[in-house]
Amino acid sequence: MNLTITETEVLRYIYGDCTPSETQAIREELKKNLALRSYHDRMMETKMELDKLEVEPNETSVNIILEYSASHHDSLEHH
Amino acid sequence: MKLTQISDKELLQAYVHGNEACLEMLIKRHKRKIFTSINLIVNDTYIAEDIFQETFIKVIQTLRSGKYKEEDKFVPWVMRIARNMAIDYFRKTKRVVMITGEDGEDIFSKLEICDTNREEQIILGQMQKSVRTLILALPEEQRTVLILRQYADLSFKEIADITHVSINTALGRMRYALNNLRKMILEKELHLQ
């Protein structure tokens, strides 16, 4: 395929936004293009730092939602 | 077939037909990414919990009323509702209320700390808070794309649709957001793996 690989494509690759053929082309380019490889590594490092911020809602919030759903089951079923 | 192996679309259909366990599975599958996104948008864990609940109540009402369009993917649809709820919240309050302790720290972040591995959790909590602060310092357009891609796990196409810009613009904003964040992290000498 004829894909010009820039930092934007590398970003899409890091976030799993590429087609299989694009992924293959980017991997090949990363093997030989040191500047892009360096960009890839820097952005991966930043992404990993951001991954640590993930949090879960309190279990009570989830239970409130499930209770609402169960208690409104009959009344909303007839809509 | 186990619920864990069923697609979002099939879970939604089964839920609409009365299978309550399917809603629980959908929430279990996506709660982390949806809640983290809301939390970063409103910057307050307590309010984020409220918006998370309100968002799913709206989801339930829409599903039960038959107004859900099946062509919409579940997470982008929920995130669209959550984002609108957050915008409504800002419109109503016109400011973010922070409840703080005597030392000025957010009281709710302290309540989350357990006794076990306390020191480790405090350090992790401080680092998370620092990175969170840096995200909040980004220009709004960059911050929105970053949250929707990094935490809500939407594709750049889905982000472009939600924010009414082209994919290239969404990608450009994400590039700037990551570059700016990296610069700020290095300037603040926060740990990078």
Side-chain angles (χ1 to χ4, degrees):
Chain A
M1 69 177 297
N2 195 11
L3 176 71
T4 306
I5 296 166
T6 63
E7 290 182 356
T8 303
E9 275 63 49
V10 173
L11 197 59
R12 289 175 55 229
Y13 168 75
I14 287 171
Y15 279 93
D17 233 45
C18 296
T19 63
S21 59
E22 286 173 337
T23 299
Q24 185 61 32
I26 292 166
R27 280 185 185 156
E28 289 301 318
E29 185 67 21
L30 287 174
K31 282 181 195 166
K32 56 191 179 194
N33 187 329
L34 288 181
L36 271 186
R37 177 75 174 267
S38 167
Y39 176 77
H40 169 269
D41 292 350
R42 289 197 310 272
M43 290 305 113
M44 277 302 289
E45 222 174 43
T46 310
K47 184 180 180 298
M48 283 166 74
E49 207 60 39
L50 293 172
D51 287 342
K52 294 177 192 166
L53 278 192
E54 286 205 354
V55 281
E56 287 200 0
N58 195 303
E59 205 51 41
T60 310
S61 288
V62 175
N63 289 335
I64 288 169
I65 295 163
L66 295 175
E67 278 167 22
Y68 175 88
S69 177
S71 64
H72 288 73
H73 184 84
D74 293 336
S75 58
L76 291 166
E77 206 172 37
H78 305 297
H79 278 235
Chain B
M1 190 187 274
K2 287 180 184 173
L3 285 182
T4 49
Q5 297 168 322
I6 299 176
S7 70
D8 287 355
K9 192 178 174 181
E10 289 166 317
L11 285 173
L12 282 170
Q13 283 169 349
Y15 172 67
V16 170
H17 287 97
N19 189 339
E20 291 286 323
C22 291
L23 177 68
E24 193 172 354
M25 176 51 64
L26 280 165
I27 294 174
K28 189 178 174 185
R29 197 178 277 179
H30 301 298
K31 64 181 178 181
R32 205 175 165 84
K33 61 175 85 162
I34 292 167
F35 183 74
T36 304
S37 307
I38 295 171
N39 197 22
L40 282 166
I41 292 169
V42 298
N43 189 29
D44 185 312
T45 308
Y46 187 66
I47 293 159
E49 294 281 358
D50 275 355
I51 293 180
F52 180 80
Q53 290 169 29
E54 286 169 19
T55 297
F56 271 95
I57 285 168
K58 175 87 176 165
V59 163
I60 291 164
Q61 289 170 343
T62 307
L63 286 170
R64 293 266 174 82
S65 67
K67 288 177 187 165
Y68 173 70
K69 294 173 197 160
E70 285 193 6
E71 63 268 24
D72 287 338
K73 278 192 186 170
F74 183 66
V75 175
W77 175 57
V78 176
M79 275 314 302
R80 203 173 297 134
I81 294 171
R83 191 165 170 258
N84 288 340
M85 292 267 181
I87 291 167
D88 281 350
Y89 163 76
F90 283 124
R91 276 194 194 128
K92 280 177 198 163
T93 59
K94 292 185 178 144
R95 66 197 174 99
V96 177
V97 180
M98 290 285 286
I99 299 173
T100 56
E102 285 176 6
D103 54 1
E105 291 289 304
D106 181 358
I107 216 159
F108 294 104
S109 65
K110 284 187 175 176
L111 293 175
E112 288 168 3
I113 296 168
C114 306
D115 288 338
T116 52
N117 300 322
R118 191 177 165 80
E119 196 178 332
E120 217 172 87
Q121 291 201 22
I122 289 171
I123 293 166
L124 183 66
Q126 283 168 345
M127 276 183 55
Q128 286 176 338
K129 199 172 174 183
S130 302
V131 177
R132 210 165 93 161
T133 307
L134 297 183
I135 292 174
L136 296 170
L138 289 171
E140 191 186 341
E141 291 167 341
Q142 292 175 28
R143 186 170 68 240
T144 301
V145 176
L146 179 94
I147 292 170
L148 294 177
R149 180 60 268 202
Q150 171 77 29
Y151 299 105
D153 204 20
L154 303 193
S155 70
F156 287 109
K157 167 81 173 66
E158 289 163 342
I159 294 168
D161 289 344
I162 285 182
T163 56
H164 309 294
V165 296
S166 68
I167 295 180
N168 282 340
T169 301
L171 275 161
R173 286 176 181 174
M174 185 70 180
R175 276 188 60 207
Y176 280 117
L178 286 178
N179 286 337
N180 286 336
L181 264 180
R182 186 176 172 81
K183 270 185 212 161
M184 289 192 284
I185 287 172
L186 292 173
E187 274 170 17
K188 303 275 178 193
E189 295 180 341
L190 296 173
H191 174 72
L192 273 176
Q193 282 190 338

